Amino acid sequence: MESKRQQKFAGVLQEELAAIFQREGSAYLPNTLVTITKVRVSPDLAVAKVYLSFLNTSNTTLSVAEVNSHASEIRYKLGARIRHQARVIPTLTFFVDDTNEYVEHMDKLFDKISRDRKETDEEAD
């Protein structure tokens, strides 16, 4: 369970990282839209796990690796933006947020279950 302090700081990081990726994201991943879906911060606020979602990319693993290779540069830009709000600029680690893929998979399963039930009901009649 995250504390209020962690949640507030994560919100600030999410906003600022979104602005950085909106303005300068094409330098890291050309022709790809990057969305910051979630930020988790450690209790000491020194480590941040940033979950990303990508549009217009075929390989999300490669995209995350590319963003992680620029993590120190992104951290520097983040530091310039939040230096008056934070004592320590957290170390950033980027991950793929596969929530959308999971939701699509679950929707397909529910549709299949629904179709199977309809077929079973029709056979019973």
Side-chain angles (χ1 to χ4, degrees), residues 10-98:
V12 169
L13 292 179
Q14 186 171 357
E15 271 185 43
E16 297 300 334
L17 285 169
I20 290 169
F21 276 100
Q22 184 178 11
R23 288 194 180 97
E24 301 161 20
S26 61
Y28 312 123
L29 296 167
N31 301 323
T32 302
L33 178 66
V34 180
T35 306
I36 314 295
T37 56
K38 185 178 6 175
V39 177
R40 298 270 186 221
V41 183
S42 64
D44 64 353
L45 308 181
V47 178
K49 293 181 179 179
V50 182
Y51 294 88
L52 306 174
S53 176
F54 300 96
L55 259 108
N56 289 343
T57 186
S58 56
N59 189 344
T60 56
T61 309
L62 189 64
S63 299
V64 167
E66 182 65 27
V67 172
N68 271 317
S69 70
H70 293 284
S72 60
E73 181 184 341
I74 296 168
R75 181 175 181 243
Y76 177 80
K77 290 177 181 179
L78 177 66
R81 295 176 71 96
I82 67 168
R83 67 179 180 265
H84 299 297
Q85 299 171 9
R87 197 171 351 131
V88 176
I89 308 305
T91 303
L92 303 174
T93 309
F94 297 96
F95 298 95
V96 174
D97 182 16
D98 57 357

Side-chain angles (χ1 to χ4, degrees), residues 1 4 22 47 49 51 55 85 98 103 110-112 121-122:
M1 184 72 184
K4 290 274 188 205
Q22 184 178 11
V47 178
K49 293 181 179 179
Y51 294 88
L55 259 108
Q85 299 171 9
D98 57 357
V103 168
F110 287 131
D111 288 344
K112 184 179 184 301
D121 290 345
E122 288 174 3

